[in-house]
Amino acid sequence: MLANWLSIRRRAARAGDLNEAERQLLAVLPGWEDSPRSRSDAERWNRRLEELRAFRASEGRWPQFRRPVPESERVLGVWLHAQRQTFGAGQLQTEALSQLDSTVPGWNAWRVKKLNDGSGDAAVMPVQQDAFVVGDPPTGTGPAASGPTAASRDRTTVAPARVPGQRRHPGR
């Protein structure tokens, strides 16, 4: 019952619904606002960040998770992928973003696309999570640039970025 009561107070404090008298009374309990789970989650996140830094330093590459790799590398690859997904959804905490940027620079460089604005200088522009380009128009006049398959390659299709919370197929 006491744990439930404290959980309710933590929730109220996060929502800003805890009055000042209750806050002052609870202040005598060090760390009352942090649940044991949130502390262990933060410790695990920091441990994964350090493991990623060490992996990058020793291997010189980013951890994989799709190919057959050792379990420790797969765990790091999944964690890094989750951080990239969270960032792409705009939900990565500012502190986590700054820690990732300072500890493992380039952790999210795969999200950057170079565009040529016609002046000869390539501009760097972030790519939205669900936007992608399929197929480049063929160049030249050889057999690869003509025929029935060239028409399908000749199109450049850009998939629209999905808005968080929006259904992928609204008509279904």
Side-chain angles (χ1 to χ4, degrees):
M1 287 180 18
L2 182 58
N4 189 36
W5 178 85
L6 188 55
S7 176
I8 292 169
R9 296 298 171 266
R10 285 181 185 132
R11 219 173 307 130
R14 280 192 305 269
D17 295 337
L18 196 62
N19 67 44
E20 190 57 35
E22 287 179 308
R23 187 176 291 281
Q24 286 178 355
L25 289 171
L26 286 167
V28 298
L29 301 172
W32 73 270
E33 288 181 319
D34 297 328
S35 69
R37 182 174 179 172
S38 67
R39 280 193 297 272
S40 69
D41 287 350
E43 290 169 3
R44 183 176 47 251
W45 194 92
N46 288 322
R47 189 174 56 250
R48 292 281 188 262
L49 180 63
E50 179 54 32
E51 290 170 359
L52 178 62
R53 187 206 56 75
F55 181 90
R56 181 87 168 124
S58 68
E59 300 292 324
R61 62 182 177 83
W62 299 107
Q64 300 289 313
F65 66 94
R66 291 188 179 161
R67 297 187 181 134
V69 293
E71 180 67 13
S72 59
E73 181 178 352
R74 188 192 66 76
V75 167
L76 273 180
V78 168
W79 181 83
L80 178 58
H81 181 71
Q83 302 313 303
R84 289 171 172 165
Q85 293 292 321
T86 305
F87 173 78
Q91 297 173 345
L92 189 63
Q93 299 292 323
T94 306
E95 182 181 328
L97 178 60
S98 65
Q99 283 184 303
L100 280 162
D101 285 341
S102 63
T103 306
V104 282
W107 70 275
N108 214 14
W110 63 278
R111 302 192 72 78
V112 176
K113 177 181 181 182
K114 289 185 180 180
L115 299 175
N116 193 339
D117 61 2
S119 67
D121 296 329
V124 176
M125 184 172 158
V127 177
Q128 292 179 338
Q129 180 174 342
D130 290 330
F132 60 94
V133 177
V134 180
D136 291 325
T139 59
T141 58
S146 63
T149 58
S152 61
R153 283 196 321 260
D154 211 22
R155 288 181 282 138
T156 301
T157 307
V158 178
R162 186 170 57 92
V163 177
Q166 179 185 17
R167 294 177 58 190
R168 287 188 185 264
H169 305 286
R172 291 185 184 171

